[in-house]
């Protein structure tokens, strides 16, 4: 009896221990499941923040891409994507602010993020406006200054910090979720094993106590019922047991909720009901049991089937249950629906596919585990050809090295410095060709260790644009350096931004080391009197820096580097940005030293000419009063002798007398022409309104004897009313028409006079004849004093007539010229300029 009582106490203790173990394990498991679900929610929350950060970064990169597309092509169609991505970026910022309201670290980052985004949009709008108004070169120059890149660098830095914070939280939360899940699994498995062990112990004890077997069996059933109640309380996991053949032996409420079978429908059925038909055909259920029986445990993730035929992605753990002798008693299975996690992974893949750049995910061993379609196209591979291969197949140098940490850092620490920064490397396609890329790395902690997501952008076009801009800048630099004029550009602080070689020749190279407001004191800049220094505040560049326009300023510069001094003609003005803000000033220096010297020479020449003209006037005066009278007496007496003694002396005497008379007459004609030349254009009347047609008629009256003798035909068009000296115009017409009749050919002389307006600037008169014509090489010679193309025996005259015409026309402010060919007649033209013509 005593022994029986002891055995009962042992059985009771065993049952109580089993019950307590089951209760404790079930409670801990259930609590772990609840906490694990909460951890999973935080993980999903963090992933959502990361997704919105990635979307914000992608939106801003698309803003940059659309903006540059518009700048390069000028096409307004790019602005649709540009504005759409700006709106998307704003929405992402609002979502991030809402999601991180519980995170003070992230909330402190948001104002900077929003401010930089606004700066980027403002800068892009300014460059777009510049492209529209001033063209590609102006926009490229503004981009080349670098503010856009600095803004993007600052934006990426903030995104990097925020992503790093979320990834830190994600790592902690995923680690916590895995730890709690493992604890729950361990509690369930341990509770199940302890329950089975305790139950077996109780059964063994009852077998020893035959008299207490019924009572022990009842208590065992009560214990099993309590265990079942505990297991049925777990609704988020499928918990079931299988016999050695794989038939379902027990079924909890969580299994019924997730898989849809009631216990009466499934107990006794083979667990292959939960597998896909294709898995059943492949023998997968039996393979899972063999693995569990051999290894003690099998854990897989695969599709499972519910009663209604729907599928869900599940994490399945099958554990072999054995007795103390190692005999297989059956299996326990714990299944968790992880479809949501699968959806998250699919969403992540969707993000990769939606990314505008090639996306490649690489593990710590440098092997590619995931890539998007854009990466396939960019590198020329099919996905299956790259997954599992080394990343060095597509990025030979630079990328894989960043996955290897040195002896003092972990891989995560080695990669942290690369987050959010663009790295320029060389990539290689399947066909062996290479192209430049910009790559951005971001580490992601997973169950497989640290994975690195690489966003890869083909920057071949960007490189070509950079090279083109660089070539244009070099060309502009060469042009500026090669032009003869000096170009000086300074900012508002007086710092020289441009000082080309011509400017250095004009001012001296040392001037660049002196502040502009000290130029006059240090580098002698003077007014045109070359003595009075120009105050520093009045220097052309200083005026331009104050926003003034510098028009036609002439200065003289002399300093130790330019000891002989140079005359400079300066223009310039302020430099302003699109908003009108003064940014600096520019002046252009034109060296007019040689022109000054030429002007001085010209003044001397004019003085000499004036002196010569005065001497000629004096000579004409002398010729008129001192030569003409004696010559007239000689001519008169010679003519008288020739008339009185003609035929009374011998033939030689008559010939000699004829020579004397002819010479005296020629001398008188030459003196008259010289007097006419000296007075031409100087003794006229004040210009007034006259009819040029009347002036022609007066000239024709004066030429009437010549016209009658030669039987010349003189015609004219209607001639205009002009403002000039009528007597001077009569003399021009008379000389030109007289020459046209004199130098006639065999045919009857025909002369035609006409006039035309030259765009309202000049009135051009023409005198056209059908005479001998003039060789073009003598066009200039015929207007020179005493220049003749024919001998005295052919045509009488001194060769002064055309010279007089030229002098008169030029005194009237006009010009005269000839058009002719030998044997084809001539056309003499003269023009009266604007201010004379009415």
């Amino acid at each position: 009896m005593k022994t029986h009582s002891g055995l009962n106490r042992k059985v009771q203790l065993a049952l109580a221990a089993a019950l307590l173990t089951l209760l404790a394990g079930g409670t801990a498991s259930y609590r772990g499941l609840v906490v694990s679900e909460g951890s999973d929610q935080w993980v999903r929350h963090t992933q959502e923040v990361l997704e919105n950060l990635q979307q914000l970064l992608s939106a801003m990169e698309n803003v940059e891409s659309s903006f540059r597309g518009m700048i390069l092509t000028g096409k307004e169609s790019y602005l649709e994507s540009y504005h759409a991505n700006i709106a998307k970026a704003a929405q992402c910022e609002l979502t991030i602010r809402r999601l991180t309201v519980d995170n003070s670290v992230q909330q402190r980052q948001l104002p900077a993020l929003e401010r930089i985004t606004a700066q980027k949009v403002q800068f892009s709008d300014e460059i777009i406006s510049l492209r529209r108004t001033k063209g590609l070169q102006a926009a490229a120059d503004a981009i080349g200054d670098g503010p856009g890149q600095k803004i993007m660098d600052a934006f990426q830095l903030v995104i990097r910090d925020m992503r790093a914070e979320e990834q830190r939280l994600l790592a902690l939360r995923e680690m916590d979720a895995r730890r709690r899940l493992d604890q729950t699994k361990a509690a369930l498995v341990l509770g199940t094993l302890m329950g089975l062990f305790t139950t077996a112990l109780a059964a063994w004890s009852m077998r020893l106590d035959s008299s207490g077997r019924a009572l022990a069996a009842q208590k065992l059933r009560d214990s099993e019922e309590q265990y079942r109640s505990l297991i049925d309380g777990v609704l988020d996991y499928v918990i079931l047991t299988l016999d050695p053949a794989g038939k379902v032996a027990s079924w909890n409420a969580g299994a019924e909720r997730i898989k849809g079978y009631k216990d009466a429908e499934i107990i006794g059925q083979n667990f292959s009901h939960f597998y896909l038909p294709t898995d059943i055909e492949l023998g997968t259920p039996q393979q899972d049991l063999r693995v569990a029986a051999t290894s003690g445990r099998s854990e897989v993730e695969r599709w499972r089937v519910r009663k209604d035929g729907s599928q869900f992605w599940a994490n399945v753990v099958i554990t072999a249950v054995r007795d103390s002798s190692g005999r297989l008693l059956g299996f326990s299975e714990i299944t968790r629906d992880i479809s949501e996690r699968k959806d998250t992974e699919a969403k992540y893949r969707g993000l990769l596919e939606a990314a505008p750049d090639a996306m490649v995910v690489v593990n710590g061993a440098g092997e590619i585990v995931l890539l998007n379609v854009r990466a396939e196209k960019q590198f020329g591979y099919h996905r299956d050809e790259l997954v599992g291969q080394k990343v060095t197949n597509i990025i030979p140098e630079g990328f894989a090295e960043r996955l290897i940490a040195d002896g003092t850092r972990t891989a995560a620490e080695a990669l942290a410095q690369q987050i959010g920064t663009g790295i320029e490397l060389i990539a290689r396609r399947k066909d062996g060709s290479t192209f430049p890329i910009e790559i951005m790395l971001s580490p992601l902690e997973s169950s497989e260790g640290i994975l690195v997501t690489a966003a890869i952008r083909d920057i071949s076009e960007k490189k070509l644009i950079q090279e083109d801009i660089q070539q244009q800048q070099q060309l502009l630099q060469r042009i500026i350096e090669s032009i003869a004029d000096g170009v000086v550009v300074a900012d508002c602080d007086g710092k020289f931004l441009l000082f080309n070689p011509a400017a250095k020749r004009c001012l001296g190279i040392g001037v660049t080391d002196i502040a502009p407001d000290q130029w006059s004191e240090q580098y002698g800049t003077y007014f045109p009197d070359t003595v009075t220094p120009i105050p520093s505040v009045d220097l052309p560049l200083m005026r331009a820096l104050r926003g003034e326009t510098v028009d036609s300023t002439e200065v003289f510069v002399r300093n130790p580097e330019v000891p002989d001094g140079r005359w400079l003609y300066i223009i310039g003005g302020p430099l302003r940005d699109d908003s009108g803000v003064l940014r600096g000033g520019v002046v252009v220096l034109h060296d007019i030293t040689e022109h000054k010297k030429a002007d001085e020479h010209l003044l001397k020449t004019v003085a000499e000419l004036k002196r010569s003209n005065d001497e000629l006037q004096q000579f004409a005066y002398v010729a008129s009063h001192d030569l003409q009278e004696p010559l007239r007496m000689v001519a008169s007496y010679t003519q008288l002798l020739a008339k009185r003694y003609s035929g009374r002396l011998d033939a030689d005497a008559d010939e000699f007398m004829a020579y004397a008379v002819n010479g005296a007459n020629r001398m008188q004609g030459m003196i008259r022409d010289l007097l006419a030349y000296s007075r031409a254009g100087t003794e006229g009347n004040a210009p007034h309104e006259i009819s040029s047609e009347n002036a022609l008629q007066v000239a024709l009256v004066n030429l009437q004897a010549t016209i009658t003798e030669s039987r010349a035909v003189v015609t004219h068009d209607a001639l205009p009313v002009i403002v000039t000296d009528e007597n001077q115009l009569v003399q021009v017409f008379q000389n030109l028409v007289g020459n046209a009749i004199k130098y006639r050919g065999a045919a009857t002389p025909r002369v035609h006079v006409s006039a035309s307006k030259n765009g309202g600037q000049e009135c051009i008169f023409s005198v056209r004849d059908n005479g001998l014509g003039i060789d073009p090489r003598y066009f200039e010679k015929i207007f020179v004093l005493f220049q003749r193309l024919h001998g005295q025996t052919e045509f009488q005259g001194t060769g002064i007539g055309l010279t007089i015409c030229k002098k008169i026309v030029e005194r009237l402010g006009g010009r005269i010229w000839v058009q002719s060919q030998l044997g084809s007649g001539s056309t003499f033209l003269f023009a009266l300029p604007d201010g004379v013509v009415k």
Side-chain angles (χ1 to χ4, degrees), residues 460-476:
S460 300
E461 185 175 352
K462 174 184 174 183
K463 286 290 187 182
L464 291 175
I465 294 173
Q466 288 176 344
E467 291 175 1
D468 184 56
I469 292 175
Q470 184 177 7
Q471 290 175 357
Q472 292 182 12
Q473 290 174 341
Q474 291 173 350
L475 176 60
L476 178 61

Side-chain angles (χ1 to χ4, degrees), residues 378-677:
Q378 189 163 287
F379 290 98
Y381 287 92
H382 188 271
R383 187 175 310 228
D384 295 338
E385 294 178 291
L386 285 179
V387 173
Q389 301 300 313
K390 293 291 185 179
V391 73
T392 51
N393 289 345
I394 58 174
I395 307 178
E397 298 179 359
F399 183 24
E401 290 79 355
R402 285 174 168 79
L403 303 179
I404 302 174
D406 59 26
T408 61
R409 295 183 298 172
T410 65
E413 291 171 338
L415 286 168
Q417 63 186 21
Q418 305 298 338
I419 299 174
T421 60
I423 307 164
E424 291 192 4
L425 299 173
I426 299 297
R428 182 169 59 204
R429 300 185 182 90
K430 183 179 180 180
D431 61 9
S433 61
T434 59
F435 60 100
I437 60 171
E438 185 178 67
I439 185 170
M440 294 179 62
L441 305 179
S442 179
L444 176 65
E445 191 170 338
S446 70
S447 59
E448 301 176 7
I450 293 179
L451 300 178
V452 178
T453 301
I456 303 170
R457 177 171 296 174
D458 185 346
I459 57 173
S460 300
E461 185 175 352
K462 174 184 174 183
K463 286 290 187 182
L464 291 175
I465 294 173
Q466 288 176 344
E467 291 175 1
D468 184 56
I469 292 175
Q470 184 177 7
Q471 290 175 357
Q472 292 182 12
Q473 290 174 341
Q474 291 173 350
L475 176 60
L476 178 61
Q477 183 68 25
R478 288 195 295 270
I479 292 173
I480 291 175
E481 290 180 354
S482 64
I483 60 178
D485 290 338
V487 180
V488 178
V489 181
D491 61 19
C492 290
D493 297 326
K495 179 183 178 182
F496 290 109
L497 304 178
L498 176 63
F499 206 96
N500 73 339
K504 295 173 184 176
R505 290 193 298 271
C506 293
L507 302 174
I509 191 172
V511 76
T512 57
D513 300 325
I514 300 174
D517 58 1
Q518 299 177 1
W519 272 9
S520 285
E521 291 79 358
Q522 301 289 333
Y523 261 73
T525 307
Y526 305 93
F527 286 112
D529 61 13
T530 72
V531 175
T532 308
I534 301 177
S536 295
V537 294
D538 292 332
L539 288 172
L541 181 57
M542 295 302 294
R543 290 170 55 195
L545 292 177
R546 292 197 301 269
E548 300 178 21
T549 298
V550 181
D551 293 325
S552 307
T553 299
E554 188 175 295
V555 301
F556 182 73
V557 174
R558 181 175 57 237
N559 55 56
E561 293 188 61
V562 191
D564 295 333
R566 304 201 73 81
W567 285 95
L568 302 179
Y569 180 83
I570 303 178
I571 60 173
L575 292 177
R576 301 181 185 274
D577 60 19
D578 290 342
S579 59
V581 177
L582 183 66
R583 297 298 185 186
V586 58
V587 293
V588 178
L589 318 172
H590 182 61
D591 189 338
I592 58 172
T593 305
E594 297 302 321
H595 294 287
K596 281 287 186 179
K597 293 179 180 179
D599 289 346
E600 292 176 1
H601 179 71
L602 180 60
L603 289 174
K604 291 180 181 179
T605 303
V606 170
E608 289 292 328
L609 289 174
K610 186 176 183 301
R611 186 177 61 80
S612 298
N613 187 61
D614 292 342
E615 292 176 352
L616 183 59
Q617 294 283 355
Q618 183 65 27
F619 170 75
Y621 178 81
V622 172
S624 175
H625 293 83
D626 297 343
L627 294 179
Q628 196 172 26
E629 184 62 27
L631 185 59
R632 186 181 301 113
M633 293 176 61
V634 170
S636 297
Y637 284 117
T638 303
Q639 292 171 3
L640 180 61
L641 289 172
K643 183 181 296 185
R644 178 175 296 181
Y645 295 103
S646 176
R648 299 173 62 182
L649 302 175
D650 58 21
D652 290 340
D654 288 341
E655 183 179 358
F656 295 155
M657 292 296 290
Y659 286 156
V661 170
N662 184 50
N665 291 335
R666 287 173 56 199
M667 180 64 72
Q668 283 183 315
M670 182 175 293
I671 291 173
R672 284 196 302 272
D673 287 347
L674 281 173
L675 287 173
Y677 175 74

Side-chain angles (χ1 to χ4, degrees), residues 8 25 33 54 83 153 162 177 243 319 357 386-387 400 426 446 538 563 567 616 619 653 681 700 717 730 787 811 822:
N8 284 338
L33 290 173
Q54 179 62 37
H83 292 299
D153 291 344
M162 295 185 72
D243 65 14
T319 305
D357 299 319
L386 285 179
V387 173
I426 299 297
S446 70
D538 292 332
W567 285 95
L616 183 59
F619 170 75
L700 295 180
D717 296 335
V730 168
Q787 295 297 317
R811 287 290 179 90
L822 280 175

Side-chain angles (χ1 to χ4, degrees), residues 12 29 142-143 162 245 296 306 322 527 582 610 682 764 789:
Q12 291 172 356
S29 299
I143 293 174
M162 295 185 72
R306 298 186 178 92
R322 300 179 181 276
F527 286 112
L582 183 66
K610 186 176 183 301
T682 61
I764 301 177
L789 302 183

